[in-house]
Structures are given as C-alpha cells and as structure tokens.
Amino acid sequence: MPTLASPAPTARTSLRRLPATAGWSFLVSGFVARLPQAMVPMGMLLLVASAAGSYAAAGLAVAAWSVGCAVGGPAIGVLADRHGHRRVGLVAAAANSLAMAAVVAVTWADLPQAATLAAAAVIGITNPQTGSLARHC
C-alpha cells in the first residue's frame, strides 16, 4: 500500500520501467513477432481483392483466416503446454510460412475460391500465438 511519501505508480512510470524489467531485446522481438497478426489480414485482403477482382471474396478469405485463428489458438496452446512453447512456436511459424506461400500460389493460380478460403483458414490455424508462447521461451 503506498504511503504519503511514495505515491502510487502511474501508467507512465510503469511504462518507463518496462525496458529495464523486460529488456529491450524482448520488447523489440515481441513487437516484430506480433506484426504478422496485424498485417496478414490487410495483405490477404489486398492480394485476394486484386487477384479475384472482388472485395467480397477478399472479405471471405479474411473471415476464413479469423475462424482459423479462433480454432487454432487454443489447439496451439494445448500443444505448447504438452510439448514446450519453443518447439510448438517454431513448428507453427514454419507451417504458417508455408500456408502463406500456399495462399499466394492458390490465389494467383485462379483456382476455385474454396481453395483460397481453405488456405486462408490454414494460415489462421497455424498462426503462432506469440504473446502467450513468449512467457516460457
């Protein structure tokens, strides 16, 4: 409990202490590792929209990715608890990279939209859960 001599820490002072607590390498690598989570939907939207000529098809691909993330996230968590965070994170990252390449190939190969949606869902399923996996790496 804070006394009159030591005021309660504010959000600003807590943020100032974060680099000393976590380390700059952890903060920078965590930022970079979380970028795909923010950029994959935008990239997929632009890729599918330009290849298919339809924002509806692109929206469906992003929706398939989102459903994949919702299904794959807990599964990756269970696997990480059983087999170790580092191992599962590395396998998920490799599978995710292959799935991203598959989406590009399927999209530009002019295959049916179902193939693009399936590949987009696999990207979501294999999405490495960076935030939760970082706690034990």
Side-chain angles (χ1 to χ4, degrees):
M1 182 149 200
T3 64
L4 292 176
S6 63
T10 63
R12 176 173 273 162
T13 58
S14 296
L15 283 176
R16 285 184 187 148
R17 285 190 231 146
L18 189 59
T21 304
W24 279 107
S25 63
F26 181 78
L27 293 175
V28 171
S29 63
F31 174 77
V32 171
R34 285 176 173 88
L35 280 176
Q37 186 70 17
M39 297 309 297
V40 165
M42 179 60 72
M44 192 179 314
L45 185 75
L46 294 173
L47 172 73
V48 176
S50 70
S54 166
Y55 281 107
L60 284 172
V62 173
W65 170 79
S66 298
V67 170
C69 285
V71 169
I76 288 178
V78 168
L79 289 171
D81 288 342
R82 287 186 185 159
H83 303 289
H85 291 109
R86 184 175 306 239
R87 180 180 301 155
V88 172
L90 290 173
V91 170
N96 193 258
S97 298
L98 292 173
M100 285 187 196
V103 164
V104 172
V106 165
T107 301
W108 287 110
D110 202 24
L111 293 174
Q113 185 178 9
T116 302
L117 297 179
V122 172
I123 290 177
I125 290 169
T126 59
N127 182 33
Q129 304 298 313
T130 308
S132 58
L133 292 177
R135 63 190 165 131
H136 290 330
C137 286

